[in-house]
């Protein structure tokens, strides 16, 4: 089991910023990879498997969102700038045991957090 806790969601006006965090913990697994998703369809938003790795970003967030990882704390961050109303959604952190290269595919992730709501008003 990998336990994931997201925080940092909220309501902002268009053009504003939010920073999401996801802290992972596990008594069973020492290696897993983290990513951010949103919505019921679990659209892949951003992921980075290791510090120094090239991150993945969905085209819709490139240039506005920045993903970062602190492996020592098992914490994944998502800095969201220039937010748009279409970014409104539930954001989820997920953990993959396989660390598949298909980091934007929700199917390769095994554990999911409860989600944090992001609401952007126009």
């Amino acid at each position: 089991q990998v336990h994931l806790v997201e925080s940092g969601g909220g309501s902002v006006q268009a053009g504003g910023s939010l920073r999401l965090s996801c802290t992972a913990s596990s008594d069973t697994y020492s290696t897993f990879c983290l990513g951010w998703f949103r919505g019921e369809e679990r659209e892949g938003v951003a992921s980075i498997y290791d510090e120094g790795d090239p991150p993945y970003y969905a085209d819709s967030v490139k240039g506005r969102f920045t993903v970062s990882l602190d492996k020592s704390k098992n914490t994944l961050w998502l800095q969201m700038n220039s937010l748009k109303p279409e970014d409104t959604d539930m954001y989820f952190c997920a953990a993959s045991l396989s660390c598949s290269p298909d980091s934007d595919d929700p199917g390769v992730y095994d554990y999911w957090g409860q989600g944090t709501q992001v609401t952007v008003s126009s």
Side-chain angles (χ1 to χ4, degrees):
Q1 182 82 8
V2 178
H3 186 56
L4 302 163
V5 179
E6 304 105 329
S7 64
S11 297
V12 296
Q13 290 189 327
S17 298
L18 286 171
R19 190 185 193 199
L20 307 184
S21 68
C22 168
T23 300
S25 60
S26 178
D27 292 331
T28 307
Y29 302 105
S30 60
T31 301
F32 44 84
C33 296
L34 303 175
W36 285 105
F37 293 81
R38 65 186 180 187
E40 291 186 2
E41 295 185 355
R42 298 298 194 266
E43 173 195 9
V45 175
S47 60
I48 182 168
Y49 279 177
D50 204 350
E51 296 168 353
D53 280 356
Y56 160 80
Y57 293 105
D59 288 343
S60 58
V61 307
K62 282 180 181 176
R64 301 187 297 120
F65 291 11
T66 302
V67 64
S68 58
L69 174 68
D70 185 337
K71 287 195 73 174
S72 68
K73 298 179 180 179
N74 273 338
T75 298
L76 186 72
W77 306 90
L78 185 66
Q79 178 67 44
M80 305 186 295
N81 297 329
S82 302
L83 282 161
K84 303 176 181 181
E86 51 263 45
D87 294 318
T88 295
D89 222 324
M90 185 73 80
Y91 284 70
F92 299 90
C93 177
S96 170
L97 300 179
S98 67
C99 296
S100 166
D102 298 322
S103 61
D104 62 325
D105 179 358
V108 307
Y109 289 80
D110 305 283
Y111 297 97
W112 294 82
Q114 293 298 307
T116 185
Q117 178 68 36
V118 171
T119 302
V120 185
S121 58
S122 58

